[in-house]
Amino acid sequence: MKCEHCTRKECSKKTKTDDQENASVEVPSPAQENGEKGEFHKLADAKIFLSDCLACDSCVTAEEGVQVSQQNAKDFFRVLNLNKKCDTSKHKVLAVSVCPQSLPYFAAKFSLSVTDASRRLCGFLKSLGVHYVFDMTIAADFSILESQKEFVRRYHQHSEEEPTLPMLTSACPGWVRYAERVLGHPITPHLCTAKSPQQIMGSLVKDYFARRQNLSPDKIFHVIVAPCYDKKLEALREDVPTALHSSRGADCVLTSGEIVQIMEQSDLSVKDAAVDTLFGDQKEEEVRRHDGASSDGYLAHIFRHAAKELFNEDVGAVTYRTLRNRDFQEVTLEKNGEVLLRFAAAYGFRNIQNVVLKLKKGKFPYHFVEVLACAGGCLSGRGQAHTEDGRADRALLRQMEGIYAAIPVRPPETSTHVQELYQEWLGGADSPRVQAALHTAYQGPGQPASSRDIKW
């Protein structure tokens, strides 16, 4: 099976079957070609998984392949080593932000509770020379809250002449890149304009936190730890440097698997440490998650908000109905036999293709779709819980799902820190700064992403 609109005679994507869904293509790194070796030279080079890849406009370009292969621990250790030298003018403040879907992987790998795994990871990173380690849940809070408001606004504005629904989520970089590079209009107008948690975290660290610490944004080297490789491609987006700060939101993206490799190859003595907060002297917070089985739970949170705001209906537990397969599920709000809201979750390439085809034909019954490129959701990201040959480690994934489900849920509306940040950082929930910091615009085909010289 080839990507839609592919013009190549022979596609480099593997044929999609149940046994081949994790096939990969390796791209040699410059260090490999030049025979360079460093402290962690045995680390695996970044892999581009093509069997389920949405981040292309027929396949990953050669230039993008090189950029992905360069996104590894080499630049991370370059900054660590610079900080050990006498020339303080070149020193950087190292900040690492960890995606919530990465923590169950560390917990399962090291047989720890998710809280202890978080402290172990934080202690290890600080033993390397990292100054701050943050939890990215607060960035997902902002993304979900802005998505909630946008859905309600779109619902009121929707008409047959100017359709604003369905709204499609925009937190998954693989899906967004595919929509921009391949699909274009009429799909991109349906993408939610709220930035992804990774992009928002970049602004929080490089703008809010930098100002609190009296630092220039370019003095901070910000590393993202994420479950999938598409997060690396997300840093290629042109709008990552925002109007709030001139530097990149994410300077380096490492997968959970790459971090585990570094930990396993290190002989450092590690003492557990508490995760930092953006507020400086605040005490450590408990690990919390959003109401999604394997993701940030956009569907559940937006569904409850819309039911209350639009129909004054209080929704407790959200009931999912599996349709075509376990990765395509439906949620409805019904009253007196009438369907008031119809939401869906579509994970994986095949389900996304079905969504796109029906939307183009005008035969799409949903008001909202949570779209994720990875079958199984974010926990199943290609950067973790996969064997060396690229196949999913299903036993480990089941363990991770159990760990993630046991983390207490905290609705984003209940976060006092988020409400404080809306006021202190952005000047209010409806201020013009909110648009610049928390929203984005989308490109179309023929407008390729920026090929900035970024060292991943």
Side-chain angles (χ1 to χ4, degrees), residues 130-204:
V130 171
H131 301 96
Y132 300 97
V133 179
F134 301 120
D135 177 3
M136 280 180 60
T137 302
I138 194 168
D141 285 338
F142 275 110
S143 184
I144 291 170
L145 290 172
E146 290 301 307
S147 299
Q148 288 176 344
K149 290 188 288 187
E150 181 170 339
F151 177 80
V152 171
R153 184 172 66 250
R154 283 175 178 258
Y155 186 92
H156 287 307
Q157 294 173 347
H158 178 73
S159 66
E160 289 188 11
E161 295 75 23
E162 296 185 20
T164 56
L165 297 176
M167 187 174 89
L168 310 175
T169 55
S170 56
C172 174
W175 152 242
V176 170
R177 197 165 168 83
Y178 176 65
E180 288 184 309
R181 298 280 295 274
V182 179
L183 303 175
H185 195 82
I187 303 301
T188 49
H190 292 280
L191 289 174
C192 177
T193 65
K195 285 184 177 179
S196 72
Q198 176 172 308
Q199 291 174 308
I200 292 174
M201 197 68 194
S203 292
L204 281 166

Side-chain angles (χ1 to χ4, degrees), residues 277-353:
T277 75
L278 295 164
F279 304 92
D281 58 354
Q282 296 284 340
K283 65 178 182 179
E284 180 185 22
E285 296 182 331
E286 284 189 84
V287 176
R288 291 286 187 266
R289 70 175 177 91
H290 295 109
D291 194 5
S294 61
S295 66
D296 280 319
Y298 283 78
L299 186 153
H301 290 292
I302 295 172
F303 184 79
R304 289 195 187 95
H305 178 79
K308 182 64 176 177
E309 288 292 312
L310 298 172
F311 304 104
N312 198 31
E313 293 287 332
D314 292 305
V315 176
V318 175
T319 302
Y320 293 83
R321 186 163 67 97
T322 301
L323 298 182
R324 300 175 61 90
N325 51 65
R326 65 186 295 267
D327 281 325
F328 194 93
Q329 296 183 310
E330 179 183 86
V331 174
T332 58
L333 177 68
E334 300 181 28
K335 188 174 183 178
N336 300 326
E338 180 187 1
V339 176
L340 304 177
L341 291 174
R342 192 185 300 273
F343 281 30
Y347 300 169
F349 184 68
R350 285 179 288 183
N351 287 323
I352 291 174
Q353 286 290 68

